[in-house]
Amino acid sequence: MQVTLIQISLLLCLLSCASSFDARYTPDWASLDSRPLPEWYDEVKFGIFVHWGVFSVPAFGSEWFWWYWRGAHESDYVQFMIKNYPPGFSYTDFAPDFHAQFFDPDEWADIFEASGAKYVVLTSKHHEGFTNWGSPYSWNWNSVDNGPHRDLVGDLGNAIRKRYKPDLIWSDGDWEAPDTYWNSTEFLAWLYNDSPVKDVVVTNDRWGNGCYCKHGGYFNCADKFTPGHLPNHKWEKCQSVDTISWGYRRNMKLTELMDLPSIIKDLVYTVALGGNYLLNVGPTADGVIAPVFEERLRGIGVWLKINGEAIYATKPWRVQAENATVLAWYTSKNTSTVYAIFTSNPMQNSFTLSMPKTSDSTVVTLLGNPEPLKWAPLKSTGLIILLPDLPFSPAQAWTLKLDGVA
């Protein structure tokens, strides 16, 4: 895989990763796929995706603006250009207006940290080739020679990496050629054997046509991948707050954005099925994370401050969900701690779960409420719980913690 197809991830959490990767990997999938996934990735659960580039200047329709306008000749894009730009205007003419004049990497880092996210994936280069760093292989089509005249990847990296180091490579743009064309296996063998981040680096599965859901570190499979059952391999769902586009759109509507309850439901579903959740925002061309996106991110962080122990460093339970009093999603920790997350208010004082096996030592609490809750066992398995008045939750999601259950 050529380095220009790689999107670099920058972590928000302090992690110590002891080296357990003593094996040498050969440049073939049988060997590369045998590498254990570094533990930090499964533990952090939640990351931020950032699509930002020249496409943020027209900020119309999609981050694939260039293709829809000049490749597919879609009428909406063609008419947008006819009405708003002079004849002969080319896509490269957008680059000087990619100013990023309000880009404050420390402010971005603060927003991302407040969201509770533990890693950040920045599109260092999208599919039209503009690199957000000073690439010598992309002369005058990069953020140092043109547009912002600064190393955007480096500046954001420095802000996010203050104490923080591990890496993730989110590869994309591979589908038009096999992995042999991209030299993917040779690159990954070097990455896993000899690179400075060989013990901690994590990769996805986009390494050539036919690699999706088959090869690599964890599986993306497809954008917004939503399995209907517990996959047998670590996976990640990438989702965008703007359901239409990954990049910023000036023509977006509020009804096209995920609200906070929808995001939390999606996060809980993903984690219950063993995945990581990578949530995308698209900044403006001048470097601003729109207030509506910031509101969503900070809202997630508020919910995670109370309910994060049911998300971070958890594992899928033997049952992922049940239609209890309302739908409940399960996660687990250790051998006898189970979390039941419900994403709608049951509107009654009792809550019934049929799957947990209780004992005399079982303790039930509502996260955010220190007092143990009263409960009674059902006949063979399950319990009925007396709920307190649920605290107000803009996310419309609450968590029951069950200690001492099987």
Side-chain angles (χ1 to χ4, degrees):
M1 178 65 70
Q2 298 176 2
V3 73
T4 53
L5 290 174
I6 291 172
Q7 300 171 337
I8 303 301
S9 166
L10 312 164
L11 281 187
L12 276 171
C13 65
L14 181 61
L15 301 162
S16 61
C17 298
S19 175
S20 60
F21 300 91
D22 298 326
R24 295 286 297 181
Y25 299 97
T26 54
D28 58 86
W29 288 120
S31 177
L32 296 170
D33 289 343
S34 71
R35 177 182 183 256
L37 190 72
E39 290 182 3
W40 69 261
Y41 179 76
D42 183 52
E43 292 177 352
V44 296
K45 303 298 183 187
F46 174 43
I48 299 296
F49 215 177
V50 182
H51 278 69
W52 192 36
V54 172
F55 51 82
S56 306
V57 177
F60 174 85
S62 168
E63 75 286 354
W64 281 84
F65 182 92
W66 171 82
W67 169 252
Y68 289 128
W69 172 37
R70 303 301 293 172
H73 303 290
E74 291 201 3
S75 60
D76 289 351
Y77 294 80
V78 173
Q79 290 302 312
F80 173 82
M81 292 304 299
I82 290 173
K83 292 177 181 178
N84 295 284
Y85 294 91
F89 193 96
S90 69
Y91 185 79
T92 56
D93 292 328
F94 284 122
D97 289 329
F98 181 35
H99 294 302
Q101 67 267 42
F102 299 131
F103 172 49
D104 182 343
D106 289 322
E107 182 179 42
W108 283 26
D110 175 72
I111 294 171
F112 298 155
E113 186 172 30
S115 76
K118 303 300 183 183
Y119 62 108
V120 176
V121 180
L122 171 68
T123 49
S124 57
K125 183 192 76 67
H126 202 253
H127 304 292
E128 32 56 325
F130 188 91
T131 66
N132 283 332
W133 77 94
S135 170
Y137 303 100
S138 189
W139 181 82
N140 207 40
W141 193 234
N142 65 75
S143 66
V144 174
D145 295 337
N146 208 331
H149 295 288
R150 62 191 288 190
D151 179 356
L152 301 177
V153 174
D155 290 349
L156 183 59
N158 290 335
I160 290 177
R161 287 180 186 273
K162 292 175 180 177
R163 309 180 312 280
Y164 305 133
K165 187 116 186 189
D167 288 289
L168 181 153
I169 295 179
W170 210 98
S171 179
D172 199 11
D174 60 317
W175 55 81
E176 292 186 350
D179 59 274
T180 51
Y181 174 85
W182 302 118
N183 204 22
S184 298
T185 56
E186 291 285 350
F187 169 72
L188 290 172
W190 168 83
L191 187 70
Y192 295 167
N193 290 329
D194 301 312
S195 75
V197 292
K198 64 184 179 66
D199 293 335
V200 295
V201 71
V202 172
T203 65
N204 67 347
D205 58 350
R206 301 187 179 188
W207 297 104
N209 188 7
C211 287
Y212 284 22
C213 276
K214 294 181 181 178
H215 301 300
Y218 63 88
F219 293 168
N220 286 122
C221 297
D223 291 352
K224 303 181 182 180
F225 175 58
T226 306
H229 56 83
L230 180 66
N232 59 10
H233 193 282
K234 182 63 186 182
W235 64 285
E236 176 188 76
K237 179 173 186 177
C238 57
Q239 177 65 278
S240 187
V241 175
D242 179 353
T243 61
I244 305 298
S245 175
W246 301 88
Y248 180 75
R249 294 185 303 137
R250 290 179 289 169
N251 59 323
M252 67 181 175
K253 297 179 174 65
L254 190 62
T255 55
E256 297 167 337
L257 307 183
M258 296 181 73
D259 60 15
L260 181 60
S262 297
I263 293 170
I264 296 300
K265 284 182 181 179
D266 211 24
L267 167 66
V268 169
Y269 169 91
T270 300
V271 174
L273 268 66
N276 275 27
Y277 193 62
L278 186 66
L279 184 65
N280 177 79
V281 293
T284 66
D286 45 21
V288 173
I289 295 175
V292 68
F293 292 154
E294 180 179 352
E295 179 190 44
R296 300 295 194 272
L297 296 182
R298 292 189 182 275
I300 299 167
V302 170
W303 186 82
L304 285 171
K305 281 184 178 179
I306 296 172
N307 299 276
E309 71 169 274
I311 300 295
Y312 303 124
T314 59
K315 299 290 184 183
W317 195 43
R318 58 178 174 83
V319 176
Q320 284 72 65
E322 71 161 296
N323 285 311
T325 305
V326 294
L327 179 63
W329 293 97
Y330 288 111
T331 61
S332 65
K333 198 172 285 185
N334 305 318
T335 57
S336 61
T337 300
V338 173
Y339 301 93
I341 308 169
F342 49 105
T343 55
S344 61
N345 193 325
M347 304 299 291
Q348 59 189 59
N349 292 330
S350 62
F351 194 90
T352 301
L353 295 170
S354 62
M355 301 309 299
K357 298 176 181 178
T358 62
S359 68
D360 292 340
S361 60
T362 296
V363 177
V364 181
T365 53
L366 178 73
L367 293 187
N369 184 345
E371 296 299 321
L373 304 182
K374 293 181 179 180
W375 63 273
L378 299 180
K379 289 184 178 179
S380 57
T381 184
L383 69 165
I384 184 168
I385 302 161
L386 186 63
L387 287 180
D389 290 335
L390 294 177
F392 172 71
S393 171
Q396 298 176 28
W398 300 264
T399 304
L400 291 170
K401 180 180 181 181
L402 295 83
D403 283 310
V405 298

